[in-house]
Amino acid sequence: MEVRQGANARDVKNYDTDRLRNDFLIQNLFPDDEVKLIYSQIDRIIVGGVKPVNKTLKLEAGTELKAAYFLERREMGIMNVGGNGSVIVDGTEYKFKYRDGLYIGMGSKDIEFKSEDPSNPAKFYLNSTPAHKTYPTVFINPEKDIKEENKLELGSQEGANHRLNRKYILPGQVETCQLEMGITTMYPGSVWNTMPCHTHDRRMEVYFYFEIPENDVVFHYMGEPTETRHIIMRSEEAVISPSWSIHSASATHAYAFVWGMAGENQDFDDMDWVDMKDLR
């Protein structure tokens, strides 16, 4: 498990491109038949990718957690961005199609991942956060299980930001201690997300971009509103966003992204909006 330290806004404004990418960008999330995990000390979130091809993969705590098993003191959300597969939680098998999700509560001990077809393996993207209480494990089919009020049409074609935000894991949909997750999809011709932008001082966020054609890129914007920076990203890469940072993007093609949040506040609308005229 790779461990990354927190970041001070006063320092980050002096980072060059390589330093920004080294500290915030997460690449190569899906090596074949491996579990890849990145532990960020920003709100103690763990970001991971699991791609079982020829064997079943088991989630281990590792020495970094100092725990008997991975979810001894944690909860977790999983999204499948690959072929069909399964996650087995303490003997119960959950079958995933593309974009299906799963919340796993604290205390689940044995977690395994497998694919139906090695030629089209599943790709399980996960976020895990510290927990203080056990909530039920819940499977989420985005077409059947997400409430209508948690499917938001946002933006406009004229603003190049027409998008659909599906909230998979948050209060009123799936109860958790602190973790929230969902998927936002840009409609054809739209490339901007989360603009006008915002920060939320009580929560950090991780974006995972996918469905980006091979020769296209996403420009992810971060930093304080008056000290903005950007990181160029490609499909199936993630980026860590501290609570003091904006998190927005434009791209050379429509795309989708998984958003995951951790922190003390679960109010989705608890945002500090930034006026466009104040951005620098």
Side-chain angles (χ1 to χ4, degrees):
M1 189 184 306
E2 177 189 348
V3 178
R4 299 196 187 183
Q5 296 181 349
N8 188 304
R10 289 173 295 181
D11 295 332
V12 170
K13 69 181 182 180
N14 297 309
Y15 287 4
D16 63 12
T17 297
D18 287 343
R19 181 66 187 276
L20 279 174
R21 293 174 68 85
N22 182 71
D23 283 18
F24 299 105
L25 179 63
I26 301 172
Q27 297 178 292
N28 305 315
L29 266 166
F30 299 108
D32 290 357
D33 285 325
E34 290 185 27
V35 176
K36 180 166 182 176
L37 300 172
I38 293 85
Y39 183 114
S40 172
Q41 292 181 348
I42 301 173
D43 280 308
R44 303 287 170 176
I45 195 168
I46 294 176
V47 180
V50 185
K51 183 184 176 184
V53 180
N54 298 306
K55 58 184 179 180
T56 298
L57 300 175
K58 185 173 182 178
L59 186 63
E60 305 282 1
T63 58
E64 294 82 4
L65 293 185
K66 300 288 191 271
Y69 52 94
F70 192 89
L71 294 185
E72 183 179 14
R73 299 183 298 269
R74 287 181 159 268
E75 60 188 357
M76 183 165 64
I78 301 171
M79 305 288 184
N80 180 30
V81 295
N84 292 349
S86 296
V87 177
I88 301 102
V89 181
D90 289 337
T92 300
E93 183 172 359
Y94 299 90
K95 293 183 177 293
F96 283 71
K97 302 184 302 301
Y98 188 65
R99 292 201 184 196
D100 283 346
L102 181 70
Y103 168 78
I104 307 176
M106 183 184 73
S108 298
K109 291 184 178 180
D110 296 316
I111 302 170
E112 296 180 315
F113 304 82
K114 65 180 183 181
S115 294
E116 277 188 17
D117 181 359
S119 67
N120 184 27
K123 295 179 181 179
F124 297 106
Y125 172 73
L126 65 88
N127 287 174
S128 173
T129 54
H132 59 272
K133 178 181 177 179
T134 298
Y135 285 101
T137 294
V138 179
F139 184 81
I140 307 112
N141 177 327
E143 303 305 322
K144 298 179 180 178
D145 300 328
I146 297 178
K147 298 176 182 178
E148 286 304 312
E149 60 265 30
N150 289 325
K151 300 176 184 178
L152 301 181
E153 290 271 352
L154 302 169
S156 66
Q157 186 174 7
E158 293 78 11
N161 63 356
H162 187 204
R163 60 201 188 273
L164 175 62
N165 182 6
R166 289 187 174 98
K167 303 176 184 179
Y168 283 59
I169 300 171
L170 82 169
Q173 177 70 46
V174 175
E175 299 305 316
T176 74
C177 292
Q178 63 165 311
L179 179 66
E180 295 182 307
M181 292 181 74
I183 294 179
T184 297
T185 305
M186 311 304 296
Y187 287 102
S190 288
V191 295
W192 279 100
N193 78 68
T194 321
M195 187 61 75
C197 60
H198 62 263
T199 61
H200 26 74
D201 216 26
R202 291 144 296 280
R203 291 175 293 166
M204 62 84 68
E205 193 156 5
V206 178
Y207 275 12
F208 168 82
Y209 293 100
F210 65 111
E211 294 186 359
I212 305 167
E214 183 178 358
N215 293 321
D216 288 283
V217 296
V218 168
F219 291 77
H220 178 84
Y221 303 102
M222 62 166 296
E224 294 178 289
T226 58
E227 291 282 356
T228 57
R229 303 291 184 269
H230 75 268
I231 297 176
I232 291 179
M233 300 178 60
R234 291 166 174 83
S235 199
E236 298 184 354
E237 295 181 345
V239 62
I240 299 167
S241 179
S243 58
W244 47 262
S245 175
I246 65 168
H247 34 282
S248 185
S250 61
T252 58
H253 191 280
Y255 55 93
F257 63 97
V258 179
W259 47 267
M261 291 187 280
E264 66 171 313
N265 195 331
Q266 288 187 295
D267 182 359
F268 183 85
D269 294 322
D270 184 12
M271 303 166 184
D272 300 312
W273 293 99
V274 179
D275 196 302
M276 294 288 276
K277 65 180 175 57
D278 295 327
L279 284 173
R280 292 178 52 187

